[in-house]
């Protein structure tokens, strides 16, 4: 394979290929990504925030050390993966409480209401995300 950096097929038969690209090809990708009006981090938002924060800490350390920061340093970037919305299926992620620690259901809802807007679902409502 020409300029193939990595090629692996997972146990569930999904093939992943990583290609090397020239600077000109990279420019094309950059222009294409600039056309995307907005992005939503469906999974990994904590990792994304952590990567950003680590980058800011490393940048501040370079500046504090009197070193030049160009914006091209590795700490300014992190690897990500994009899917088109029509290729994405978000599974619901529910948490089950094993105990209310002696509270009644009503007391529990009342305590949650201090921090969240809570309203009952209509009978038969679809509780799965869009």
């Amino acid at each position: 394979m020409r300029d193939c950096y990595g090629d692996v097929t997972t146990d569930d038969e999904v093939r992943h290929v990583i290609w090397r690209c020239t600077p000109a090809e990279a420019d094309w990708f950059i222009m294409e990504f600039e056309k995307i009006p907005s992005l939503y981090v469906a999974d990994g938002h904590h990792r994304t925030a952590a990567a950003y924060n680590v980058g800011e800490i490393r940048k501040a350390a370079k500046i504090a050390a009197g070193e030049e920061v160009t914006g091209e340093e590795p700490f300014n970037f992190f690897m990500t993966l994009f899917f088109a919305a029509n290729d994405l299926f978000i599974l619901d992620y529910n948490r089950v409480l094993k105990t209310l620690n002696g509270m009644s259901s009503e007391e529990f809802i009342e305590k949650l209401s201090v921090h969240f807007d809570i309203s009952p679902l209509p009978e038969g409502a679809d509780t799965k995300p869009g």
Side-chain angles (χ1 to χ4, degrees), residues 25-127:
E25 290 166 331
D27 289 343
W28 177 85
F29 279 108
I30 291 167
M31 288 187 305
E32 289 300 304
F33 281 117
E34 287 174 345
K35 294 177 185 176
I36 300 171
S38 61
L39 297 170
Y40 174 75
V41 179
D43 185 28
H45 55 282
H46 293 110
R47 278 178 238 114
T48 300
Y52 173 81
N53 290 334
V54 168
E56 290 296 298
I57 290 167
R58 290 182 175 170
K59 180 169 67 175
K62 270 189 93 106
I63 292 169
E67 297 177 39
E68 180 184 3
V69 175
T70 66
E72 296 299 318
E73 297 82 6
F75 57 74
N76 287 299
F77 306 94
F78 64 94
M79 188 165 50
T80 188
L81 176 65
F82 296 94
F83 288 99
N86 59 352
D87 287 334
L88 186 64
F89 180 73
I90 300 174
L91 300 172
D92 53 334
Y93 184 78
N94 300 307
R95 292 185 170 89
V96 176
L97 299 176
K98 294 182 179 182
T99 178
L100 297 180
N101 291 325
M103 289 183 282
S104 69
S105 296
E106 292 78 17
E107 290 170 316
F108 178 71
I109 295 297
E110 184 178 317
K111 285 192 178 272
L112 285 177
S113 297
V114 171
H115 301 286
F116 302 97
D117 295 327
I118 298 177
S119 58
L121 290 172
E123 187 70 32
D126 182 8
T127 59

